[in-house]
Amino acid sequence: MKKTLRYNYRLNPTPEQEVKLIEFGATARGIWNLLLSETMRRYDYDKTFFFYKDMASLLKKLKSFEEFAWIKTFDSAAAQQVARDLEAALKNAFSKGRLQRFPKHKISYKRKKLHNDSFRAVNNSNCIRIENRTISIPKVGKVPIVLHRNLVSKIKTVTIQYRHGRWECSITQEVECKTAKNRLTSITGFDINSKQTVVGSNGFVSDNPKFLRQSKEKLTHLQRQLSRRKKGSNRWQKTKQRINKLHGKISRQRLNFAHQVSRQITNETGILVFEDLNVKAMQQFNGSMVADNVMGLITQLAKYKADLEGKLYHEIGRFEKSTGICSECGQRHVLSLSERYFTCTACATYQSRDLSAAKSIAKTGELDLIAAEIVARVIPTSQHKSAIKMKVFEVSKLVEGSEKKEAA
Ligand SMILES: [Zn+2]
């Protein structure tokens, strides 16, 4: 099984290249808006949609008109990519089981340094290459790139965007997953609590890191400063830019943290069980969860890392209550948010709320997976007795098949 992964790199374009990149971003936005308007007009007319083929041929036709000369200066593969993205957005908006809305027109932020246009170049016949610390972008040239990590495989596409005060490109590459293991040792449940800490049933604990809290304090400070400044003034602009940069820093810190935690928990266990975070959010989180979804990020990353390693990721079903269940006897308790520890009313075990929740998530996950015949418990072949009792599972072939179905 192959997976498309995205890696972000920093770009340092020359002033001339920067002008080009800004122009291309605006062009991509223009094409998106043009095609979207056409699609909507067509829908009003005969209730059908434009699809990729119609869009591509429309672009081809428009190129010959003088007022659409701006399309000609753009990389044609990137223009086709806009059409592909729009088609995907339209299809998503109408497919069942997805919650995407109908695509919107893109607006530009006229103020310099705050625009967030982007465009995506496609690597046709090796036109995008990395050599001598530059990346060649069609019709732009060799743009200096900061290669903080090596490429893992061939480049598929490159998205170029100005974000948070710097140029970035995100490169998609195809990575081969390790073959799914047919034996997995250990199953671990993970509870994410309202303090946004991850607790594993194997004893793993990760705290919401200090640097994120510090950056957030700084952000509140700057936002307060901004509200004191006269809107539109030079000093206001300056603060606004600092806020924008800080947002960038926070999002990079958050991503980095999520990568580290998800890597660690994937390495430590064979089967990862999480709660469905949507339900979790409804049950107990407040507004900050939506705004600062580092936990959602961790589960997302853990999922693909598990796939890459040939391990199993499982989310337990909706409305499965995990908090307040005794890890020894299964007795249910109603706990208030402030109760971090409790004593079981049935068997008198004193336990941490988070750890017992994680254990109950692991238990539910195990039952789920066995019931769905995805795994089966087996007795380990090596008979030497270790101090820790390892659970061993045999994975049925079914998993690979269902994965393929999902990918198609
Ligand atoms: Zn109990």
Side-chain angles (χ1 to χ4, degrees), residues 271-272 274-275 299-300 302-303 306-307 311-315:
I271 303 173
L272 297 88
F274 277 93
E275 250 180 321
T299 55
Q300 255 177 43
K303 184 175 190 328
D307 283 351
K311 294 178 172 181
L312 256 182
Y313 172 97
H314 179 69
E315 259 174 36

Side-chain angles (χ1 to χ4, degrees), residues 28-291:
R29 165 166 45 83
I31 292 176
W32 171 280
N33 288 342
L34 181 88
L35 292 174
L36 181 57
S37 296
E38 280 307 309
T39 307
M40 286 158 83
R41 201 169 300 152
R42 163 102 162 242
Y43 185 75
D44 280 341
Y45 178 67
D46 65 0
K47 303 282 174 244
T48 61
F49 279 116
F50 256 27
F51 286 109
Y52 173 72
K53 269 190 183 161
D54 314 298
M55 296 182 195
S57 72
L58 178 72
L59 283 176
K60 219 178 211 172
K61 271 182 227 154
L62 288 179
K63 271 187 196 171
S64 53
F65 292 97
E66 205 167 313
E67 63 256 60
F68 292 109
W70 50 274
I71 298 179
K72 244 198 261 177
T73 58
F74 193 40
D75 168 27
S76 60
Q80 283 163 11
Q81 192 57 49
V82 176
R84 265 197 197 99
D85 290 344
L86 180 58
E87 186 193 65
L90 285 168
K91 282 185 174 164
N92 281 344
F94 285 95
S95 77
K96 273 182 197 160
R98 289 212 184 222
L99 296 170
Q100 267 104 331
R101 299 221 174 132
F102 193 81
K104 278 187 189 158
H105 284 94
K106 292 185 175 170
I107 37 169
S108 88
Y109 297 95
K110 281 275 161 54
R111 209 161 280 126
K112 236 171 106 189
K113 303 271 182 199
L114 283 177
H115 59 90
N116 61 353
D117 291 335
S118 67
F119 69 95
R120 178 140 40 131
V122 189
N123 193 10
N124 287 332
S125 55
N126 215 21
C127 62
I128 300 171
R129 284 183 307 274
I130 290 188
E131 42 197 15
N132 301 327
R133 295 202 194 115
T134 63
I135 180 165
S136 48
I137 310 285
K139 291 208 175 179
V140 178
K142 292 181 173 176
V143 183
I145 186 171
V146 183
L147 273 180
H148 65 281
R149 67 180 292 166
N150 286 330
L151 297 188
V152 278
S153 70
K154 230 187 110 201
I155 298 171
K156 280 180 76 184
T157 65
V158 179
T159 307
I160 293 147
Q161 189 175 25
Y162 187 81
R163 270 178 79 211
H164 308 303
R166 49 159 101 185
W167 285 98
E168 279 174 5
C169 72
S170 100
I171 300 178
T172 52
Q173 299 167 75
E174 242 174 29
V175 183
E176 186 69 52
C177 295
K178 285 186 191 153
T179 37
K181 294 194 167 68
N182 36 25
R183 255 177 195 229
L184 294 168
T185 47
S186 76
I187 181 165
T188 311
F190 295 95
D191 178 61
I192 293 168
N193 63 33
S194 56
K195 283 182 182 156
Q196 308 213 345
T197 309
V198 184
V199 176
S201 58
N202 57 357
F204 174 87
V205 178
S206 100
D207 248 321
N208 206 349
K210 207 173 154 197
F211 56 80
L212 265 176
R213 270 204 307 275
Q214 281 168 344
S215 298
K216 266 175 232 157
E217 272 162 29
K218 209 169 158 192
L219 185 67
T220 328
H221 170 78
L222 282 175
Q223 273 161 344
R224 214 170 290 143
Q225 192 181 63
L226 186 76
S227 66
R228 283 199 304 269
R229 304 241 193 272
K230 197 175 154 237
K231 202 176 171 185
S233 69
N234 268 342
R235 283 155 67 80
W236 182 86
Q237 296 282 16
K238 227 177 228 170
T239 308
K240 188 94 191 162
Q241 269 183 35
R242 284 181 67 195
I243 289 178
N244 191 22
K245 267 193 177 163
L246 188 58
H247 271 303
K249 184 177 174 185
I250 292 173
S251 81
R252 285 190 300 276
Q253 283 180 328
R254 184 184 297 153
L255 187 65
N256 193 28
F257 169 67
H259 268 300
Q260 280 171 2
V261 172
S262 54
R263 168 51 64 204
Q264 207 179 338
I265 60 183
T266 315
N267 283 352
E268 279 174 7
T269 189
I271 303 173
L272 297 88
V273 186
F274 277 93
E275 250 180 321
D276 186 325
L277 277 183
N278 291 322
V279 177
K280 185 95 186 174
M282 282 191 288
Q283 282 172 350
Q284 64 174 154
F285 285 113
N286 41 23
S288 73
M289 174 74 188
V290 185

Side-chain angles (χ1 to χ4, degrees), residues 326-331 333 344-349 351:
C326 172
S327 59
E328 292 302 314
C329 71
Q331 174 75 27
H333 305 80
C344 176
T345 51
C347 71
T349 314
Q351 54 204 298

